[in-house]
């Protein structure tokens, strides 16, 4: 994709929206410690903060859980 | 209607729908989730009797219940953004402008493709079901099921539109749609089965799965309804004295 195409406001907004949506969906439904590992190191994997915080929601929305 | 405007509408509708779904889950499903977690605790206790103490929880149940509402709201907002984008693509050339009907039709398609078809193969499980060792395989299979579900519903939608443009009668259009959705379901059925043992009572499992479907109905129904209402409102001519 060239920079020219991204200057189109519709294409730019759509691309940003898809990236933001996929990132947020990953964080709430799929993350197993990966997102916080750069900040917290190994503790992020063992404590699995995002997963534990959204645990009930993941189960109820049908996402695979532990 | 510009793409950024539809994205804003989708985000707002999705956040609201996700909040509704979370509040519904809090009121209707939390007792079932709590019961499953208590059983899970008893089960773990029975297995580690005399051994190590039970695992320390990272968050209290209260925080996790708040997390439920946050999770559904963020999920709703994300799905709303994608919804707005697909809406822009699907209805870009449509001059008839029936936002209420169009939003509800797209929300129904999203519910079936993103949730219902994958759910038929991999239904939601309450806490206490699921082997941590298999979570990556289960996640990959579930994502694959979503891809097939979305593909099937998208193809069905496209086929109906093509057949309508060719002037084919409605029964032909609808039967073609059904055939494509059934083919997608058959594809999902070929994915590997979830082999994790289920050790919660059948009535609790059934109740939880019904509540999972109901939560998704609130989410997608709310998304379609709010998006449609915002669209209807945008159609009305702006009042002369109204502030922008
Ligand atoms: Zn879990």
């Amino acid at each position: 994709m060239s920079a020219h195409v991204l200057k189109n406001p519709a294409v730019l907004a759509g691309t940003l929206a898809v990236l933001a949506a996929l990132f947020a969906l990953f964080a709430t439904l799929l993350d197993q410690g990966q997102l916080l590992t750069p900040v917290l190191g190994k503790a992020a994997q063992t404590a699995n903060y995002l997963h534990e915080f959204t645990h009930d929601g993941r189960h109820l929305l049908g996402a695979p859980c532990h | 209607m510009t793409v950024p405007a539809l994205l804003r509408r989708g985000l707002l509708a999705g956040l609201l729908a996700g909040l509704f779904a979370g509040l519904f889950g809090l009121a209707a499903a939390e007792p079932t989730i709590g019961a499953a977690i208590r059983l899970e605790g008893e089960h773990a206790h029975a297995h580690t009797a005399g051994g190590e103490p039970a695992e320390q929880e990272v968050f209290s149940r209260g925080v996790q219940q708040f997390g439920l509402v946050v999770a559904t709201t963020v999920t709703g907002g994300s799905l709303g953004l994608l919804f707005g984008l697909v809406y822009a693509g699907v209805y870009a050339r449509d001059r008839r402008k029936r936002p209420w009907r169009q939003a509800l039709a797209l929300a129904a398609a999203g519910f079936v493709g993103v949730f219902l078809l994958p759910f038929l193969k991999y239904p939601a499980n309450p806490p206490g079901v699921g082997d941590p060792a298999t979570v990556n395989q289960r996640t990959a299979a579930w994502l694959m099921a979503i891809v097939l579900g979305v593909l099937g519903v998208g193809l069905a939608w496209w086929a109906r539109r093509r057949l309508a443009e060719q002037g084919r009668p409605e029964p032909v259009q609808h039967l073609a749609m059904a055939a494509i959705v059934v083919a997608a379901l058959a594809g999902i059925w070929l994915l590997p089965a979830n082999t994790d043992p289920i050790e919660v009572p059948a009535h609790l499992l059934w109740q939880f799965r019904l509540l999972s479907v109901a939560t998704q109905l609130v989410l997608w129904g709310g998304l379609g309804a709010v998006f449609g209402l915002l669209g209807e409102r945008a159609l009305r001519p702006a009042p002369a004295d109204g502030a922008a």
Side-chain angles (χ1 to χ4, degrees):
Chain A
M1 199 187 311
S2 70
H4 178 74
V5 172
L6 280 180
K7 274 181 190 153
N8 179 334
V11 176
L12 181 62
T15 307
L16 290 177
V18 169
L19 291 178
L22 292 181
F23 178 80
L25 286 172
F26 180 86
T28 42
L29 297 178
L30 297 177
D31 176 75
Q32 304 289 355
Q34 294 93 333
L35 287 182
L36 291 179
T37 299
V39 192
L40 301 172
K42 235 187 154 65
Q45 303 274 344
T46 45
N48 216 345
Y49 293 105
L50 278 178
H51 179 123
E52 291 299 331
F53 182 62
T54 61
H55 175 257
D56 293 20
R58 290 183 186 214
H59 276 281
L60 196 57
L61 291 169
C65 213
H66 55 263
Chain B
M1 205 71 229
T2 64
V3 169
L6 288 174
L7 289 172
R8 276 197 299 277
R9 194 185 292 173
L11 181 64
L12 178 59
L15 289 173
L16 273 173
L19 182 63
F20 299 155
L23 294 177
F24 171 81
L26 202 57
E30 271 299 337
T32 306
I33 295 173
I37 287 172
R38 276 192 298 280
L39 277 175
E40 185 184 13
E42 285 167 22
H43 198 80
H45 191 75
H47 276 268
T48 57
E52 309 139 60
E55 212 177 309
Q56 195 62 44
E57 289 299 334
V58 179
F59 293 116
S60 70
R61 290 297 305 137
V63 172
Q64 284 185 320
Q65 285 166 357
F66 173 65
L68 166 76
V69 182
V70 173
T72 58
T73 305
V74 173
T75 300
S78 308
L79 290 174
L81 277 176
L82 299 175
F83 186 93
L85 197 60
V86 174
Y87 186 96
V90 169
Y91 294 116
R93 292 166 301 161
D94 198 323
R95 296 264 157 256
R96 288 168 297 170
K97 295 271 186 278
R98 299 176 302 171
W100 176 253
R101 285 190 130 242
Q102 291 171 333
L104 288 188
L106 196 59
F111 172 79
V112 172
V114 177
F115 173 72
L116 188 62
L117 295 181
F119 181 89
L120 293 175
K121 175 76 179 180
Y122 304 114
N125 282 323
V129 177
D131 178 359
T134 63
V135 72
N136 287 337
Q137 294 97 292
R138 284 185 284 129
T139 301
W142 180 64
L143 292 177
M144 197 60 217
I146 293 176
V147 168
L148 288 175
V150 169
L151 213 62
V153 168
L155 268 177
W157 188 290
W158 174 83
R160 197 200 76 84
R161 185 169 271 196
R162 281 304 300 270
L163 291 170
E165 282 166 5
Q166 291 168 8
R168 304 297 176 102
E170 280 209 319
V172 173
Q173 299 172 22
H174 294 163
L175 289 173
M177 286 180 93
I180 293 170
V181 169
V182 168
L185 193 55
I188 290 172
W189 220 259
L190 291 175
L191 293 171
N194 180 358
T195 53
D196 284 2
I198 293 176
E199 287 164 334
V200 295
H203 71 91
L204 197 151
L205 185 67
W206 174 240
Q207 201 172 25
F208 182 81
R209 288 178 174 173
L210 277 183
L211 289 165
S212 175
V213 173
T215 304
Q216 291 277 355
L217 275 174
V218 173
L219 181 66
W220 287 98
L223 177 52
V226 176
F227 194 94
L229 286 176
L230 291 172
E232 295 287 335
R233 208 184 69 144
L235 273 189
R236 285 207 306 264
D241 59 335

